[in-house]
């Protein structure tokens, strides 16, 4: 067995026979379908991105509302402590 | 291919970017050539029709990205077709088929001033079986599709000197095996 299979074609395929497979309408239809699918995918990706950004934004806002800065806590504590008595 | 023809194809490609219907002109022009090119590497009419459609669909999809690289537009189609055929064989893991037309073989043998008979055909088939795929691809493009080395290099993504080297090596082997005196591009 050789590296490739070599076949000898006694007859050349006729132009008429090739023409039977020619169909630009089908190519156009497939192309339009692909373009539509691409557009839908793009819209879907944008939608997902916007949704993720919105969710992150709301989480950050909620976290900001509930957040008490550590520095303030310390200051309040320091202010609460009475000054030591002088002897 | 004349400069006027190249310019005309360019204008069609430009129109195709805005209106895919315009690409139909190039489809009609090159369909038969691409079909024959693929058919020679598959020997299966239905499969060839599928791969041929796929080739033109990919070309239409990427027409925006097409850039002139000093070779006719058809070379780009051949390149896509060649990639599609290779992709098919990689997926199917079949031995690659080369189906060659007897008429063309007869022409080539007669050009070499040899007598055409069944025995020489049989020897030639055995010789081609042992050639590496890369050499067969170059020979197919050179002698069955009449492509120049620049186009062959572009289609197979190799250098021009690489394309020449593969062709000359294949022809050298042919000369030695058949004891031929083929004149080719000044080489004997």
């Amino acid at each position: 067995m050789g590296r490739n299979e070599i076949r000898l074609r006694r007859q050349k395929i006729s132009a008429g026979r090739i023409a039977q497979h020619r169909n630009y309408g089908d190519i156009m239809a497939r192309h339009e379908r692909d373009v539509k699918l691409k557009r839908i995918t793009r819209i879907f990706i944008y939608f997902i991105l916007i949704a993720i950004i919105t969710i992150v934004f709301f989480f950050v806002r909620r976290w900001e509302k509930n957040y008490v800065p550590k520095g303030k806590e310390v200051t309040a504590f320091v202010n609460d402590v009475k000054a030591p008595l002088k002897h | 291919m004349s400069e006027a023809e190249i310019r005309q194809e360019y204008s069609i490609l430009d129109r195709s970017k805005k209106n895919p219907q315009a690409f139909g002109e190039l489809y009609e022009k090159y369909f038969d050539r691409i079909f024959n090119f693929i058919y020679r590497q598959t020997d299966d009419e239905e499969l060839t029709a599928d791969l041929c459609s796929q080739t033109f669909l990919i070309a239409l999809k990427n027409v925006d990205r097409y850039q002139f690289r000093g070779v006719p537009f058809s070379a780009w189609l051949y390149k896509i077709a060649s990639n599609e055929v290779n992709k098919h064989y990689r997926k199917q893991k079949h031995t690659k088929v080369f189906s060659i037309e007897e008429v063309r073989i007869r022409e080539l043998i007669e050009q070499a001033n040899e007598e055409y008979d069944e025995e020489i055909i049989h020897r030639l088939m055995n010789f081609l079986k042992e050639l590496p795929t890369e050499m067969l691809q170059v020979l197919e493009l050179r002698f069955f599709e009449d492509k120049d080395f620049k186009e062959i290099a572009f289609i197979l993504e190799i250098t021009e000197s690489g394309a020449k080297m593969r062709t000359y090596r294949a022809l050298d082997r042919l000369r030695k095996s058949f004891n031929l005196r083929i004149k080719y591009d000044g080489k004997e």
Side-chain angles (χ1 to χ4, degrees), chain A residues 1-10 12-13 15 17-24 26-28 30-31 34, chain B residues 20 23-24 27-28 32 36 43 45 49 53-54 61 96-100 102 118 125 129-133 136:
Chain A
M1 182 83 185
R3 300 179 188 205
N4 297 291
E5 197 182 329
I6 310 289
R7 296 180 191 164
L8 184 71
R9 235 183 310 140
R10 300 281 177 188
K12 221 175 169 182
I13 189 161
R17 199 140 168 197
I18 295 176
Q20 284 175 4
H21 298 288
R22 202 181 291 164
N23 186 357
Y24 192 61
D26 178 53
I27 302 278
M28 278 295 295
R30 281 170 67 186
H31 177 64
D34 282 355
Chain B
F23 191 75
Y27 176 85
E28 293 297 328
D32 286 19
N36 273 316
D43 202 28
E45 212 175 307
S53 298
Q54 192 59 23
K61 241 191 237 176
K96 197 162 183 176
V97 173
F98 281 92
S99 158
I100 47 181
E102 192 185 14
E118 283 298 317
M125 301 294 275
K129 254 183 211 170
E130 294 309 319
L131 275 189
T133 311
L136 279 172

Side-chain angles (χ1 to χ4, degrees), chain A residues 24-42:
Chain A
Y24 192 61
D26 178 53
I27 302 278
M28 278 295 295
R30 281 170 67 186
H31 177 64
E32 271 161 28
R33 222 172 25 234
D34 282 355
V35 169
K36 255 186 211 167
L37 194 77
K38 221 174 168 181
R39 205 174 294 155
I40 290 169
T41 313
R42 200 178 295 161

